[in-house]
Amino acid sequence: MSLKYLVSACLAGHTVRYDATSNAQDAICQLLHTHEVITACPEMLGGLSCPRFPAEIQNGQANDVLNGTAQVKDVIGTDVSAEFIAGAQRMLALAQRHKVDVVILKENSPSCGSRYIYDGTFTRTKIDGYGVTTALLKQHGFQVLSEHDFLAMMQDQL
Ligand code: SF4
């Protein structure tokens, strides 16, 4: 039986990043031709525009954002936590409705990161952690792979 995927829209070539570019990955774009793939961007699902100001998690971790004790703020200080949480909830709904088998989300993003995120200082400093969408998916039993995890798995199969 063919696996069903939920993938960050930017990894599939959609220009939905904060700066209106994509993070297209050839191996992930290829999946679109061979498997059932749902592509979505949680930040846009949550109501943010494109382009938008870059945002980072402040004063805590993604789970703290979900429970209201930390925030996601953009670089000019606007609190976009509500949009990030709404986007995470819509991604979870997609994952559950489509019963996806594999989730591949973009590393380093405050929504989609699964191993690393930026530290909240807007200095491109990475720390261990994961994004708000990843946190909610993990809370509901989904394993989240980064594009790097996925590419490494593909290499192992060669
Ligand atoms: Fe890509 Fe996720 Fe950022 Fe959207 S929120 S641009 S899908 S990394």
Side-chain angles (χ1 to χ4, degrees):
M1 193 179 68
S2 184
L3 296 175
K4 200 182 285 189
Y5 290 78
L6 174 63
V7 172
S8 288
C10 60
L11 292 174
H14 297 280
T15 53
V16 293
R17 278 173 40 115
Y18 72 90
D19 58 0
T21 64
S22 81
N23 292 112
Q25 296 281 327
D26 286 346
I28 290 175
C29 293
Q30 284 299 321
L31 272 182
L32 305 179
H33 302 295
T34 55
H35 290 79
E36 186 172 345
V37 182
I38 296 115
T39 63
C41 170
E43 292 175 23
M44 298 207 63
L45 286 178
L48 294 173
S49 61
C50 183
R52 55 191 173 276
F53 289 111
E56 297 186 3
I57 296 173
Q58 313 272 324
N59 308 315
Q61 302 289 326
N63 284 312
D64 303 319
V65 175
L66 290 170
N67 69 28
T69 59
Q71 304 81 40
V72 187
K73 290 185 180 174
D74 69 20
V75 70
I76 61 165
T78 305
D79 188 336
V80 288
S81 305
E83 288 86 349
F84 270 64
I85 293 170
Q89 290 168 338
R90 289 181 180 137
M91 290 290 278
L92 175 63
L94 281 173
Q96 292 175 327
R97 184 177 342 128
H98 292 279
K99 296 184 170 60
V100 300
D101 303 295
V102 184
V103 181
I104 308 170
L105 299 184
K106 174 72 182 72
E107 192 62 278
N108 306 323
S109 155
S111 290
C112 294
S114 54
R115 293 180 193 271
Y116 304 103
I117 56 171
Y118 293 106
D119 71 349
T121 62
F122 296 98
T123 57
R124 309 292 292 171
T125 307
K126 290 178 196 169
I127 55 172
D128 291 348
Y130 43 83
V132 177
T133 290
T134 300
L136 190 63
L137 288 169
K138 285 162 68 92
Q139 285 181 10
H140 288 80
F142 289 94
Q143 185 190 357
V144 176
L145 303 177
S146 72
E147 69 277 27
H148 308 299
D149 297 327
F150 176 69
L151 293 174
M153 284 172 47
M154 298 286 286
Q155 288 293 330
D156 287 347
Q157 290 170 12
L158 292 178

